[in-house]
């Protein structure tokens, strides 16, 4: 769903030679009112996109896409090894589905003491007002195995806390007050990391509370 945008028409006038008859300018045609198309929005508009029924058409590309992955120790962009985030109907809060990260365990085990990352990006419209960012998350990551971090405009904003029991309830992050966003467009990257501290995880006892995804 997306409002259709129509360009403005501009007429440029100037002096014409006497021997050339003036060509009348075409009568301006009013632009039609914006309409809703079947195409996804280029950025998130709360009026059009929601996890909640009955309009739970979100997330969809291109407003929800794969984002950049960053090494938080240097803030440099690094490769994302797996970008297959999915809609999960079996884990949901008040809506009918959620966005779930890929599992990176197999990739991480194959290359120990390296960090594997996957990122999903939410793009907010330039017309967005100032607001607080709050998310409902099903925590399934446990450090040092994995974690979920949130970056706003390429800068670390907050980290989702570890799971602390099997089948934990959904939690609000970063807090009830949220993370303050200024007015205007923003990119919000949800970065899931396996082995974020590059440890030898074979030496770390298995934690049964860990889900292996978020």
């Amino acid at each position: 769903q997306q409002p259709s945008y129509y360009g403005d028409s501009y007429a440029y006038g100037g002096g014409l030679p006497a021997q050339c008859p003036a060509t009348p300018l075409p009568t301006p045609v009013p632009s039609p009112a914006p309409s809703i198309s079947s195409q996804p929005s280029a950025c998130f508009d709360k009026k059009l996109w929601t996890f909640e029924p009955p309009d739970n058409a979100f997330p969809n590309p291109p407003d929800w896409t794969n984002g950049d992955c960053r090494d938080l120790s240097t803030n440099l962009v690094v490769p994302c090894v797996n970008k297959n985030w999915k809609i999960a109907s079996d884990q949901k809060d008040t809506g009918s589905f959620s966005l779930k990260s890929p599992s990176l365990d197999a990739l991480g085990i194959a290359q120990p003491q390296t960090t594997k990352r996957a990122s999903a990006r939410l793009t907010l419209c330039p017309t967005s007002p100032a607001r607080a960012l709050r998310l409902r998350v099903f925590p399934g990551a446990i450090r040092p195995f994995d974690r979920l971090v949130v970056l706003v405009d390429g800068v670390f904003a907050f980290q989702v806390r570890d799971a602390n029991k099997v089948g934990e309830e959904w939690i609000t992050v970063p807090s009830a007050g949220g993370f303050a966003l200024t007015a205007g467009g923003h990119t919000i990257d949800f970065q899931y990391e396996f082995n974020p501290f590059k440890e030898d995880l074979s030496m770390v006892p298995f934690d049964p509370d860990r889900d292996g995804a978020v």
Side-chain angles (χ1 to χ4, degrees):
Q1 295 178 332
Q2 156 183 341
S4 298
Y5 297 97
Y6 300 87
D8 293 327
S9 298
Y10 297 92
Y12 297 92
L16 293 172
Q19 67 271 25
C20 298
T23 302
L25 293 174
T27 303
V29 177
S31 296
S35 61
I36 302 300
S37 76
S38 60
Q39 297 301 312
S41 172
C43 53
F44 178 73
D45 185 335
K46 190 175 181 180
K47 298 188 296 295
L48 299 177
W49 298 94
T50 174
F51 276 110
E52 311 306 321
D55 301 316
N56 52 355
F58 178 79
N60 266 319
D63 51 348
W64 191 287
T65 61
N66 293 125
D68 293 331
C69 287
R70 289 183 181 270
D71 183 334
L72 298 186
S73 65
T74 63
N75 204 41
L76 295 177
V77 175
V78 294
C80 297
V81 297
N82 189 319
K83 298 186 176 184
N84 297 320
W85 295 67
K86 65 179 182 179
I87 289 177
S89 299
D90 57 333
Q91 289 180 315
K92 53 186 179 292
D93 188 18
T94 58
S96 58
F97 58 81
S98 65
L99 184 70
K100 188 171 185 176
S101 70
S103 174
L104 304 181
D105 286 36
L107 294 171
I109 292 171
Q111 294 181 291
Q113 294 178 278
T114 62
T115 301
K116 304 301 180 183
R117 302 173 179 87
S119 179
R121 171 172 290 179
L122 173 66
T123 302
L124 300 185
C125 294
T127 54
S128 295
R131 63 181 65 183
L133 172 66
R134 288 186 298 274
L135 304 167
R136 294 286 288 169
V137 176
F138 189 92
I142 294 180
R143 292 164 291 174
F145 294 98
D146 51 356
R147 67 176 177 176
L148 177 66
V149 295
V150 178
L151 299 91
V152 176
D153 300 328
V155 179
F156 173 82
F158 58 90
Q159 177 175 269
V160 176
R161 71 161 174 80
D162 291 351
N164 57 25
K165 65 179 180 180
V166 176
E168 184 167 17
E169 300 289 334
W170 289 75
I171 61 173
T172 299
V173 296
S175 64
F179 180 86
L181 295 175
T182 58
H186 296 283
T187 57
I188 302 171
D189 290 329
F190 299 83
Q191 181 166 296
Y192 173 62
E193 302 178 340
F194 180 83
N195 198 2
F197 310 117
K198 301 180 181 179
E199 297 186 11
D200 183 357
L201 295 179
S202 66
M203 306 300 293
V204 182
F206 172 75
D207 194 317
D209 295 338
R210 179 174 174 264
D211 189 45
V214 290

